[in-house]
Amino acid sequence: MSRVVLDVSGLGVALPHGSDRAHAVRDISFSVNAGEIVCLLGESGSGKSIIAQTVMGLLPAHVRATEGQALLLGEDVLKYTPEQLRAVRGVRMSMIFQEPMTALNPVMACGEQVDEMLTQHTALPAEERRRKILDIFAQVKLPEPERIYASYPHQLSGGQRQRIMIAMALMLEPALLIADEPTTALDVTTQAEILRLIRQLQREHNTGVLFITHDMGVVAEIADRVVVLQLGKLVEQGTKLEVLQSPREAYTRMLLDAVPSLEPPELAHQPEAPAVAPVLLVRDLQKTYVSRNWFGRKREVDAAIGVNLTVERGETVGIVGESGSGKSTVARCIVRLIEPTAGHIEVLGQHMHGRSIASLKPLRKKVQIVFQDPYRSLNPRQTVGAAIIEGPMNFGASRTAAWQRAEALMELVRLAPSALNRYPSEFSGGQRQRICIARTLAMDPELLICDEAVSALDVSVAAQILELLAEIQQRLHLALLFITHDLRVAAQICDRVIVMEKGRIVEQGRTRDVFTHPQQPYTRALLAAAPGREFAFGHKHAALAPA
Amino acid sequence: MAIEASPVSQRPSVLSKVARNWSVRIGVGVLALLVAVAICAPWMGTVDPAVMDGAVMNVLPGHSGEFTLLDGRAVKHEFWMGADSFGRDIWSRVLYGTRISLIVGLFVALVSLTLGGLSGLCAGYLRWLDGILMRVMDGLMAIPGILLAIALVSALGASLTTVVVAIAIPEIPRVTRLVRSLVLSIREEPYVEAAVALGTPTWKIMLRHILPNAIAPLIVQGTFVCASAILVESILSFLGVGLPSEIPTWGNIMAEGRVQFNQYPHNVLYPGIFLAATVLAVNMLGDGLRDTLDPKFNKRGSGK
């Protein structure tokens, strides 16, 4: 029954000369049995994707496997010629990628793309092929398979596109399915459906799955066995329960501890008694995008509608929701990176109307924002110091005073003051996010908005940034507006949460109340979809929580 | 999956990457040689390139004899490249012609990059200016470049300045379009939004955050503008609508030699070789710069 589908032993992949390390991965051994899901778990730079690419024969030209072997059904794929590889791809092994947006050809109907694969590997007549494709579309639970067959990728949602990728991958019943972060680009509820689908199809077809992920929750949800990687080395492997509940290695324990718990802490710190005016007061905020087609016909999309919220001094308010829920739109309207269509925004009791640079000056001084992507949030042609002193100097600070303050801020965000003279490219993602935080703090803001500020970071780095934010908030009594799609993060740091769906607020309240007694069906669905719910992450070590 | 970026000190800097590129090395080498030739022309066995000596009309390359200068003095002279039908020394004319070509190439590139860069920056960042500015550029692009240059030179009179202006104007819309498209994508970068949130004035955002990040593709474009300007200047001269024919430019030399090309091909051949080598060198430099400066290759440490 459990025959070995993939057996990797002693695998080493060399990187070209001049890279930051000699081997992408080294001395990797593991196996995948039929009907089993093996998760390759690691942070960025662990080499998990390289392993998948090696097995599929998709390594970039200058990167080669130099040691070991990868036996697919007993044959070493590393020794295959390009023709042999082409013959087994799709038939014996296939792959699903992270980005369903770019994995499909945008100018070809979805059905034809799946059909291409059948004409390539089988001699079935057209009639038969079409029947088979509609059949698998139904299996991956695509609605109206006939319509989907003729649809182009842009007409489908991300989840539907990923279903098509899965249909394509499983079409010819391969023995091995490699899934490279297949749900990372998807919303939680879609992610939960796709994970369930992969699990179900894999059981029906008795496929061996190599599932690559950085997400502990996903591992808890789907894995049979887990292989933990760090910087190209295998740290430990074992069954899911072994690794998640009694990890042997310190690195695995650190990873597990860094995952925030879904359960809000018992005593969320009590916000101070409301001052005279809240730091931020938003009434009936609305943002409507109007586009006109060639005939002048209007098309209106409400990105945010009827949004009311307040943030008090020293308080952390979270806005959670899926993509398209309007949470980022609200943040950008408050910071006035986009002009709201209607509504009333007050900062410390001062009404923010007008759109000229002069009338927005008080807003610019008191409200600052940290963005998601640390690699794009800093001007690559500006030193860190120049970036940090820019804001204060816009408001009339002298260069020397601003620089001294910047040095103090570097200490606050735990970076050496010498960092000020260096360029952003010299820093890692987590360090860059610290620099971005320092840049906002240089303005002495009253309100700090974090727009998915830790979503692009590795879990261990994200934990450090969250810790830093909490510490800074305590010290400076900042109001924090935290926008995130990650319920675990929201549970841990927010005093109150606001749940948004399709531009509207559906529920808001104390974090503990919302998480333990959600009132609205949408909130309940979001909470139910959070991966790895039955594992209580974030306590000293994970234990099976009472159901 | 991005592998963590290593510190810059361990990574080769952009400059050393540029210096290691063979295309850049060859291009810079040939151009350096040409610049040296242009500067040192008076000391390289040349005579006044405008002086005609009836006694040496159409002598063949390699001829060794005497050349009578304007003041009537006869000097010993090696005719490395022969002489043209007026008895002017081709070697001297080609070497002095290098000056004109390089100056035209350099200044056209500077003028069109400056003006095109500025208008592209404004069109890309200031929404209210975009429509007007780009329609003007579209209008300019609708006129064939050489025709526009001919019209401008005949309207303004032939001098080095008018030739440079006449060649630069048709290049401006192309540079504007390039810069505008770069600015349109850079203005959406979070670091630009962060600067807006910091209250940075618009002109500072344009000069400090947007322009420096568009400069690399702009330099690459500059080399191609330069190469095309050198060619267009030669074409204008060749057609007799550029600089006056007594001024030694490669186009003028070729135009003069065209009539007798069958008997005396050297009049066209030597300036032609210099022209081809110059344009090739500038283009190789541009290709090399594009390979090394392309933001797609050096934006992040690595990753896909």
Side-chain angles (χ1 to χ4, degrees), chain A residues 20 48 53 332 364 368 375-377 379-381 390 394 439, chain B residues 1 4 189 191 193-194 196-198 200 208-209 212-213 304:
Chain A
D20 57 341
K48 55 194 192 298
Q53 289 168 1
R332 298 159 75 82
R364 299 279 178 238
Q368 283 298 311
Y375 289 92
R376 291 170 58 201
S377 305
N379 182 349
R381 309 264 173 195
E390 179 167 334
N394 287 336
R439 177 174 63 187
Chain B
M1 192 59 24
E4 206 64 72
E189 292 286 326
Y191 59 77
E193 298 195 316
V196 173
L198 290 174
T200 307
R208 192 186 282 169
H209 295 286
N213 287 291
K304 46 181 182 183

PDB file of all heavy atoms in Angstrom, chain A residues 20 48 53 332 364 368 375-377 379-381 390 394 439, chain B residues 1 4 189 191 193-194 196-198 200 208-209 212-213 304:
ATOM      1  N   ASP A  20      25.646  34.072  -1.783  1.00  0.00           N
ATOM      2  CA  ASP A  20      25.953  34.263  -0.366  1.00  0.00           C
ATOM      3  C   ASP A  20      26.261  32.952   0.343  1.00  0.00           C
ATOM      4  O   ASP A  20      26.710  32.955   1.472  1.00  0.00           O
ATOM      5  CB  ASP A  20      24.824  35.023   0.341  1.00  0.00           C
ATOM      6  CG  ASP A  20      23.494  34.324   0.192  1.00  0.00           C
ATOM      7  OD1 ASP A  20      23.376  33.488  -0.722  1.00  0.00           O
ATOM      8  OD2 ASP A  20      22.581  34.607   0.977  1.00  0.00           O
ATOM      9  N   LYS A  48      13.620  25.480   0.460  1.00  0.00           N
ATOM     10  CA  LYS A  48      12.526  24.534   0.237  1.00  0.00           C
ATOM     11  C   LYS A  48      12.034  24.545  -1.201  1.00  0.00           C
ATOM     12  O   LYS A  48      11.738  23.490  -1.769  1.00  0.00           O
ATOM     13  CB  LYS A  48      11.379  24.790   1.229  1.00  0.00           C
ATOM     14  CG  LYS A  48      10.831  26.215   1.245  1.00  0.00           C
ATOM     15  CD  LYS A  48       9.969  26.403   2.488  1.00  0.00           C
ATOM     16  CE  LYS A  48       9.162  27.693   2.420  1.00  0.00           C
ATOM     17  NZ  LYS A  48      10.006  28.921   2.362  1.00  0.00           N
ATOM     18  N   GLN A  53      12.085  22.463  -7.173  1.00  0.00           N
ATOM     19  CA  GLN A  53      12.538  22.723  -8.539  1.00  0.00           C
ATOM     20  C   GLN A  53      13.519  21.651  -9.007  1.00  0.00           C
ATOM     21  O   GLN A  53      13.525  21.265 -10.170  1.00  0.00           O
ATOM     22  CB  GLN A  53      13.197  24.103  -8.625  1.00  0.00           C
ATOM     23  CG  GLN A  53      12.182  25.231  -8.506  1.00  0.00           C
ATOM     24  CD  GLN A  53      12.844  26.585  -8.289  1.00  0.00           C
ATOM     25  OE1 GLN A  53      14.060  26.682  -8.240  1.00  0.00           O
ATOM     26  NE2 GLN A  53      12.046  27.615  -8.175  1.00  0.00           N
ATOM     27  N   ARG A 332      -5.680  54.089   3.790  1.00  0.00           N
ATOM     28  CA  ARG A 332      -5.115  55.072   2.869  1.00  0.00           C
ATOM     29  C   ARG A 332      -5.952  56.343   2.817  1.00  0.00           C
ATOM     30  O   ARG A 332      -5.426  57.419   2.550  1.00  0.00           O
ATOM     31  CB  ARG A 332      -4.953  54.445   1.495  1.00  0.00           C
ATOM     32  CG  ARG A 332      -3.968  53.268   1.550  1.00  0.00           C
ATOM     33  CD  ARG A 332      -4.171  52.349   0.385  1.00  0.00           C
ATOM     34  NE  ARG A 332      -3.639  52.940  -0.809  1.00  0.00           N
ATOM     35  CZ  ARG A 332      -2.361  52.895  -1.126  1.00  0.00           C
ATOM     36  NH1 ARG A 332      -1.527  52.264  -0.344  1.00  0.00           N
ATOM     37  NH2 ARG A 332      -1.929  53.454  -2.210  1.00  0.00           N
ATOM     38  N   ARG A 364      -0.281  65.174   8.492  1.00  0.00           N
ATOM     39  CA  ARG A 364       0.997  64.538   8.144  1.00  0.00           C
ATOM     40  C   ARG A 364       1.886  64.399   9.369  1.00  0.00           C
ATOM     41  O   ARG A 364       2.666  63.479   9.474  1.00  0.00           O
ATOM     42  CB  ARG A 364       1.720  65.372   7.088  1.00  0.00           C
ATOM     43  CG  ARG A 364       0.957  65.512   5.788  1.00  0.00           C
ATOM     44  CD  ARG A 364       1.134  64.284   4.938  1.00  0.00           C
ATOM     45  NE  ARG A 364       0.384  64.373   3.699  1.00  0.00           N
ATOM     46  CZ  ARG A 364      -0.536  63.483   3.341  1.00  0.00           C
ATOM     47  NH1 ARG A 364      -0.808  62.463   4.125  1.00  0.00           N
ATOM     48  NH2 ARG A 364      -1.164  63.598   2.195  1.00  0.00           N
ATOM     49  N   GLN A 368       1.046  58.570  10.897  1.00  0.00           N
ATOM     50  CA  GLN A 368       2.061  57.973  10.044  1.00  0.00           C
ATOM     51  C   GLN A 368       1.681  56.533   9.714  1.00  0.00           C
ATOM     52  O   GLN A 368       0.852  55.924  10.382  1.00  0.00           O
ATOM     53  CB  GLN A 368       3.422  58.017  10.729  1.00  0.00           C
ATOM     54  CG  GLN A 368       4.059  59.390  10.668  1.00  0.00           C
ATOM     55  CD  GLN A 368       4.328  59.815   9.231  1.00  0.00           C
ATOM     56  OE1 GLN A 368       4.889  59.074   8.432  1.00  0.00           O
ATOM     57  NE2 GLN A 368       3.895  61.016   8.882  1.00  0.00           N
ATOM     58  N   TYR A 375      10.740  45.733   1.231  1.00  0.00           N
ATOM     59  CA  TYR A 375      11.716  45.900   0.148  1.00  0.00           C
ATOM     60  C   TYR A 375      11.377  47.083  -0.739  1.00  0.00           C
ATOM     61  O   TYR A 375      12.195  47.554  -1.497  1.00  0.00           O
ATOM     62  CB  TYR A 375      11.818  44.617  -0.688  1.00  0.00           C
ATOM     63  CG  TYR A 375      12.490  43.527   0.086  1.00  0.00           C
ATOM     64  CD1 TYR A 375      11.759  42.634   0.842  1.00  0.00           C
ATOM     65  CD2 TYR A 375      13.872  43.444   0.114  1.00  0.00           C
ATOM     66  CE1 TYR A 375      12.376  41.665   1.597  1.00  0.00           C
ATOM     67  CE2 TYR A 375      14.504  42.479   0.858  1.00  0.00           C
ATOM     68  CZ  TYR A 375      13.755  41.594   1.595  1.00  0.00           C
ATOM     69  OH  TYR A 375      14.380  40.649   2.351  1.00  0.00           O
ATOM     70  N   ARG A 376      10.123  47.536  -0.692  1.00  0.00           N
ATOM     71  CA  ARG A 376       9.749  48.647  -1.558  1.00  0.00           C
ATOM     72  C   ARG A 376       9.413  49.905  -0.768  1.00  0.00           C
ATOM     73  O   ARG A 376       9.099  50.929  -1.349  1.00  0.00           O
ATOM     74  CB  ARG A 376       8.554  48.226  -2.423  1.00  0.00           C
ATOM     75  CG  ARG A 376       8.940  47.169  -3.460  1.00  0.00           C
ATOM     76  CD  ARG A 376       7.729  46.596  -4.128  1.00  0.00           C
ATOM     77  NE  ARG A 376       6.953  47.631  -4.771  1.00  0.00           N
ATOM     78  CZ  ARG A 376       5.662  47.510  -5.087  1.00  0.00           C
ATOM     79  NH1 ARG A 376       5.015  46.405  -4.789  1.00  0.00           N
ATOM     80  NH2 ARG A 376       5.031  48.461  -5.673  1.00  0.00           N
ATOM     81  N   SER A 377       9.478  49.829   0.559  1.00  0.00           N
ATOM     82  CA  SER A 377       9.073  50.982   1.365  1.00  0.00           C
ATOM     83  C   SER A 377      10.191  51.984   1.566  1.00  0.00           C
ATOM     84  O   SER A 377       9.969  53.047   2.132  1.00  0.00           O
ATOM     85  CB  SER A 377       8.582  50.531   2.735  1.00  0.00           C
ATOM     86  OG  SER A 377       7.565  49.595   2.579  1.00  0.00           O
ATOM     87  N   ASN A 379      13.404  54.118  -0.242  1.00  0.00           N
ATOM     88  CA  ASN A 379      14.012  54.541  -1.504  1.00  0.00           C
ATOM     89  C   ASN A 379      15.415  53.943  -1.604  1.00  0.00           C
ATOM     90  O   ASN A 379      16.272  54.233  -0.772  1.00  0.00           O
ATOM     91  CB  ASN A 379      14.070  56.069  -1.522  1.00  0.00           C
ATOM     92  CG  ASN A 379      14.636  56.604  -2.802  1.00  0.00           C
ATOM     93  OD1 ASN A 379      15.178  55.864  -3.623  1.00  0.00           O
ATOM     94  ND2 ASN A 379      14.515  57.900  -2.990  1.00  0.00           N
ATOM     95  N   PRO A 380      15.664  53.083  -2.619  1.00  0.00           N
ATOM     96  CA  PRO A 380      16.971  52.425  -2.693  1.00  0.00           C
ATOM     97  C   PRO A 380      18.131  53.391  -2.914  1.00  0.00           C
ATOM     98  O   PRO A 380      19.284  53.021  -2.702  1.00  0.00           O
ATOM     99  CB  PRO A 380      16.826  51.470  -3.881  1.00  0.00           C
ATOM    100  CG  PRO A 380      15.653  51.947  -4.649  1.00  0.00           C
ATOM    101  CD  PRO A 380      14.758  52.655  -3.681  1.00  0.00           C
ATOM    102  N   ARG A 381      17.843  54.609  -3.334  1.00  0.00           N
ATOM    103  CA  ARG A 381      18.920  55.564  -3.625  1.00  0.00           C
ATOM    104  C   ARG A 381      19.131  56.557  -2.489  1.00  0.00           C
ATOM    105  O   ARG A 381      19.734  57.601  -2.671  1.00  0.00           O
ATOM    106  CB  ARG A 381      18.598  56.349  -4.888  1.00  0.00           C
ATOM    107  CG  ARG A 381      18.234  55.516  -6.057  1.00  0.00           C
ATOM    108  CD  ARG A 381      19.413  55.277  -6.941  1.00  0.00           C
ATOM    109  NE  ARG A 381      19.048  54.325  -7.981  1.00  0.00           N
ATOM    110  CZ  ARG A 381      19.928  53.708  -8.730  1.00  0.00           C
ATOM    111  NH1 ARG A 381      21.192  53.921  -8.555  1.00  0.00           N
ATOM    112  NH2 ARG A 381      19.521  52.870  -9.653  1.00  0.00           N
ATOM    113  N   GLU A 390      14.148  63.036   6.782  1.00  0.00           N
ATOM    114  CA  GLU A 390      13.369  63.760   5.774  1.00  0.00           C
ATOM    115  C   GLU A 390      12.098  64.385   6.371  1.00  0.00           C
ATOM    116  O   GLU A 390      11.833  65.566   6.168  1.00  0.00           O
ATOM    117  CB  GLU A 390      12.998  62.812   4.630  1.00  0.00           C
ATOM    118  CG  GLU A 390      12.177  63.504   3.562  1.00  0.00           C
ATOM    119  CD  GLU A 390      12.073  62.672   2.293  1.00  0.00           C
ATOM    120  OE1 GLU A 390      12.963  61.850   2.032  1.00  0.00           O
ATOM    121  OE2 GLU A 390      11.084  62.847   1.569  1.00  0.00           O
ATOM    122  N   ASN A 394      11.118  68.358   6.842  1.00  0.00           N
ATOM    123  CA  ASN A 394       9.980  68.965   6.144  1.00  0.00           C
ATOM    124  C   ASN A 394       9.218  69.897   7.078  1.00  0.00           C
ATOM    125  O   ASN A 394       8.543  70.812   6.634  1.00  0.00           O
ATOM    126  CB  ASN A 394       9.019  67.890   5.644  1.00  0.00           C
ATOM    127  CG  ASN A 394       9.597  67.144   4.462  1.00  0.00           C
ATOM    128  OD1 ASN A 394      10.454  67.663   3.762  1.00  0.00           O
ATOM    129  ND2 ASN A 394       9.125  65.928   4.250  1.00  0.00           N
ATOM    130  N   ARG A 439      11.406  55.660  10.848  1.00  0.00           N
ATOM    131  CA  ARG A 439      11.101  56.821  10.011  1.00  0.00           C
ATOM    132  C   ARG A 439       9.773  57.453  10.427  1.00  0.00           C
ATOM    133  O   ARG A 439       9.643  58.675  10.474  1.00  0.00           O
ATOM    134  CB  ARG A 439      11.039  56.375   8.543  1.00  0.00           C
ATOM    135  CG  ARG A 439      10.643  57.497   7.595  1.00  0.00           C
ATOM    136  CD  ARG A 439      10.738  57.070   6.159  1.00  0.00           C
ATOM    137  NE  ARG A 439       9.812  55.979   5.855  1.00  0.00           N
ATOM    138  CZ  ARG A 439       9.786  55.328   4.699  1.00  0.00           C
ATOM    139  NH1 ARG A 439      10.630  55.627   3.751  1.00  0.00           N
ATOM    140  NH2 ARG A 439       8.921  54.363   4.497  1.00  0.00           N
TER     141      ARG A 439
ATOM    142  N   MET B   1      11.346  31.967  -3.937  1.00  0.00           N
ATOM    143  CA  MET B   1      11.695  32.208  -2.537  1.00  0.00           C
ATOM    144  C   MET B   1      12.967  33.033  -2.486  1.00  0.00           C
ATOM    145  O   MET B   1      13.995  32.606  -2.976  1.00  0.00           O
ATOM    146  CB  MET B   1      11.880  30.844  -1.861  1.00  0.00           C
ATOM    147  CG  MET B   1      11.970  30.854  -0.375  1.00  0.00           C
ATOM    148  SD  MET B   1      10.603  31.532   0.578  1.00  0.00           S
ATOM    149  CE  MET B   1       9.198  31.393  -0.472  1.00  0.00           C
ATOM    150  N   GLU B   4      17.964  35.562   1.499  1.00  0.00           N
ATOM    151  CA  GLU B   4      18.218  36.836   2.167  1.00  0.00           C
ATOM    152  C   GLU B   4      19.351  37.587   1.488  1.00  0.00           C
ATOM    153  O   GLU B   4      20.391  37.008   1.181  1.00  0.00           O
ATOM    154  CB  GLU B   4      18.555  36.568   3.627  1.00  0.00           C
ATOM    155  CG  GLU B   4      18.233  37.723   4.552  1.00  0.00           C
ATOM    156  CD  GLU B   4      16.736  37.995   4.578  1.00  0.00           C
ATOM    157  OE1 GLU B   4      15.984  37.208   5.140  1.00  0.00           O
ATOM    158  OE2 GLU B   4      16.353  39.031   4.020  1.00  0.00           O
ATOM    159  N   GLU B 189       5.283  53.248  -5.966  1.00  0.00           N
ATOM    160  CA  GLU B 189       6.093  52.539  -4.972  1.00  0.00           C
ATOM    161  C   GLU B 189       5.766  53.059  -3.566  1.00  0.00           C
ATOM    162  O   GLU B 189       5.565  54.263  -3.377  1.00  0.00           O
ATOM    163  CB  GLU B 189       7.585  52.751  -5.244  1.00  0.00           C
ATOM    164  CG  GLU B 189       8.089  52.086  -6.508  1.00  0.00           C
ATOM    165  CD  GLU B 189       8.207  50.584  -6.366  1.00  0.00           C
ATOM    166  OE1 GLU B 189       8.523  50.106  -5.262  1.00  0.00           O
ATOM    167  OE2 GLU B 189       7.965  49.894  -7.372  1.00  0.00           O
ATOM    168  N   TYR B 191       7.644  53.691  -1.140  1.00  0.00           N
ATOM    169  CA  TYR B 191       8.531  54.723  -0.586  1.00  0.00           C
ATOM    170  C   TYR B 191       8.112  56.119  -1.028  1.00  0.00           C
ATOM    171  O   TYR B 191       8.354  57.096  -0.322  1.00  0.00           O
ATOM    172  CB  TYR B 191      10.016  54.434  -0.867  1.00  0.00           C
ATOM    173  CG  TYR B 191      10.445  54.312  -2.300  1.00  0.00           C
ATOM    174  CD1 TYR B 191      10.624  55.430  -3.098  1.00  0.00           C
ATOM    175  CD2 TYR B 191      10.718  53.062  -2.846  1.00  0.00           C
ATOM    176  CE1 TYR B 191      11.047  55.307  -4.404  1.00  0.00           C
ATOM    177  CE2 TYR B 191      11.129  52.938  -4.158  1.00  0.00           C
ATOM    178  CZ  TYR B 191      11.305  54.066  -4.938  1.00  0.00           C
ATOM    179  OH  TYR B 191      11.706  53.935  -6.223  1.00  0.00           O
ATOM    180  N   GLU B 193       4.881  56.895  -1.500  1.00  0.00           N
ATOM    181  CA  GLU B 193       3.722  57.157  -0.635  1.00  0.00           C
ATOM    182  C   GLU B 193       4.179  57.539   0.767  1.00  0.00           C
ATOM    183  O   GLU B 193       3.590  58.421   1.399  1.00  0.00           O
ATOM    184  CB  GLU B 193       2.838  55.912  -0.578  1.00  0.00           C
ATOM    185  CG  GLU B 193       2.278  55.535  -1.942  1.00  0.00           C
ATOM    186  CD  GLU B 193       1.152  54.550  -1.842  1.00  0.00           C
ATOM    187  OE1 GLU B 193       1.302  53.600  -1.048  1.00  0.00           O
ATOM    188  OE2 GLU B 193       0.145  54.726  -2.544  1.00  0.00           O
ATOM    189  N   ALA B 194       5.244  56.864   1.229  1.00  0.00           N
ATOM    190  CA  ALA B 194       5.759  57.196   2.557  1.00  0.00           C
ATOM    191  C   ALA B 194       6.215  58.647   2.584  1.00  0.00           C
ATOM    192  O   ALA B 194       5.976  59.364   3.556  1.00  0.00           O
ATOM    193  CB  ALA B 194       6.914  56.259   2.924  1.00  0.00           C
ATOM    194  N   VAL B 196       5.060  61.084   0.757  1.00  0.00           N
ATOM    195  CA  VAL B 196       3.851  61.914   0.776  1.00  0.00           C
ATOM    196  C   VAL B 196       3.341  62.013   2.209  1.00  0.00           C
ATOM    197  O   VAL B 196       3.018  63.097   2.705  1.00  0.00           O
ATOM    198  CB  VAL B 196       2.760  61.314  -0.138  1.00  0.00           C
ATOM    199  CG1 VAL B 196       1.453  62.083   0.032  1.00  0.00           C
ATOM    200  CG2 VAL B 196       3.204  61.349  -1.589  1.00  0.00           C
ATOM    201  N   ALA B 197       3.316  60.866   2.894  1.00  0.00           N
ATOM    202  CA  ALA B 197       2.808  60.847   4.264  1.00  0.00           C
ATOM    203  C   ALA B 197       3.712  61.639   5.209  1.00  0.00           C
ATOM    204  O   ALA B 197       3.270  62.089   6.258  1.00  0.00           O
ATOM    205  CB  ALA B 197       2.669  59.406   4.749  1.00  0.00           C
ATOM    206  N   LEU B 198       4.993  61.802   4.851  1.00  0.00           N
ATOM    207  CA  LEU B 198       5.907  62.576   5.690  1.00  0.00           C
ATOM    208  C   LEU B 198       5.785  64.062   5.410  1.00  0.00           C
ATOM    209  O   LEU B 198       6.507  64.870   5.972  1.00  0.00           O
ATOM    210  CB  LEU B 198       7.356  62.151   5.443  1.00  0.00           C
ATOM    211  CG  LEU B 198       7.775  60.773   5.945  1.00  0.00           C
ATOM    212  CD1 LEU B 198       9.183  60.462   5.499  1.00  0.00           C
ATOM    213  CD2 LEU B 198       7.696  60.680   7.455  1.00  0.00           C
ATOM    214  N   THR B 200       6.467  65.585   2.532  1.00  0.00           N
ATOM    215  CA  THR B 200       7.497  66.088   1.622  1.00  0.00           C
ATOM    216  C   THR B 200       6.843  66.836   0.454  1.00  0.00           C
ATOM    217  O   THR B 200       5.917  66.317  -0.152  1.00  0.00           O
ATOM    218  CB  THR B 200       8.341  64.918   1.086  1.00  0.00           C
ATOM    219  OG1 THR B 200       8.809  64.167   2.195  1.00  0.00           O
ATOM    220  CG2 THR B 200       9.520  65.412   0.269  1.00  0.00           C
ATOM    221  N   ARG B 208      13.967  63.903  -5.484  1.00  0.00           N
ATOM    222  CA  ARG B 208      14.706  63.086  -4.538  1.00  0.00           C
ATOM    223  C   ARG B 208      14.314  61.603  -4.622  1.00  0.00           C
ATOM    224  O   ARG B 208      15.145  60.732  -4.428  1.00  0.00           O
ATOM    225  CB  ARG B 208      14.456  63.609  -3.128  1.00  0.00           C
ATOM    226  CG  ARG B 208      15.393  63.036  -2.096  1.00  0.00           C
ATOM    227  CD  ARG B 208      14.997  63.487  -0.724  1.00  0.00           C
ATOM    228  NE  ARG B 208      15.420  64.856  -0.433  1.00  0.00           N
ATOM    229  CZ  ARG B 208      14.981  65.533   0.640  1.00  0.00           C
ATOM    230  NH1 ARG B 208      14.120  64.975   1.469  1.00  0.00           N
ATOM    231  NH2 ARG B 208      15.393  66.753   0.863  1.00  0.00           N
ATOM    232  N   HIS B 209      13.037  61.343  -4.873  1.00  0.00           N
ATOM    233  CA  HIS B 209      12.598  59.950  -4.812  1.00  0.00           C
ATOM    234  C   HIS B 209      12.343  59.339  -6.176  1.00  0.00           C
ATOM    235  O   HIS B 209      12.511  58.150  -6.359  1.00  0.00           O
ATOM    236  CB  HIS B 209      11.332  59.838  -3.960  1.00  0.00           C
ATOM    237  CG  HIS B 209      11.561  60.189  -2.528  1.00  0.00           C
ATOM    238  ND1 HIS B 209      12.231  59.363  -1.667  1.00  0.00           N
ATOM    239  CD2 HIS B 209      11.246  61.284  -1.819  1.00  0.00           C
ATOM    240  CE1 HIS B 209      12.306  59.939  -0.477  1.00  0.00           C
ATOM    241  NE2 HIS B 209      11.720  61.114  -0.541  1.00  0.00           N
ATOM    242  N   PRO B 212      16.036  59.868  -9.192  1.00  0.00           N
ATOM    243  CA  PRO B 212      17.196  58.993  -9.017  1.00  0.00           C
ATOM    244  C   PRO B 212      16.890  57.534  -9.356  1.00  0.00           C
ATOM    245  O   PRO B 212      17.783  56.797  -9.768  1.00  0.00           O
ATOM    246  CB  PRO B 212      17.538  59.131  -7.525  1.00  0.00           C
ATOM    247  CG  PRO B 212      16.942  60.421  -7.115  1.00  0.00           C
ATOM    248  CD  PRO B 212      15.717  60.598  -7.950  1.00  0.00           C
ATOM    249  N   ASN B 213      15.642  57.125  -9.198  1.00  0.00           N
ATOM    250  CA  ASN B 213      15.306  55.739  -9.481  1.00  0.00           C
ATOM    251  C   ASN B 213      14.991  55.504 -10.953  1.00  0.00           C
ATOM    252  O   ASN B 213      14.757  54.374 -11.365  1.00  0.00           O
ATOM    253  CB  ASN B 213      14.140  55.288  -8.598  1.00  0.00           C
ATOM    254  CG  ASN B 213      14.580  55.103  -7.169  1.00  0.00           C
ATOM    255  OD1 ASN B 213      15.326  54.193  -6.872  1.00  0.00           O
ATOM    256  ND2 ASN B 213      14.161  56.001  -6.292  1.00  0.00           N
ATOM    257  N   LYS B 304      12.995  35.555  -7.110  1.00  0.00           N
ATOM    258  CA  LYS B 304      12.415  35.453  -8.443  1.00  0.00           C
ATOM    259  C   LYS B 304      11.214  36.338  -8.560  1.00  0.00           C
ATOM    260  O   LYS B 304      10.717  36.847  -7.577  1.00  0.00           O
ATOM    261  CB  LYS B 304      12.050  34.009  -8.767  1.00  0.00           C
ATOM    262  CG  LYS B 304      11.313  33.298  -7.630  1.00  0.00           C
ATOM    263  CD  LYS B 304      11.005  31.883  -8.011  1.00  0.00           C
ATOM    264  CE  LYS B 304      10.242  31.202  -6.906  1.00  0.00           C
ATOM    265  NZ  LYS B 304       9.924  29.853  -7.081  1.00  0.00           N
TER     266      LYS B 304
END
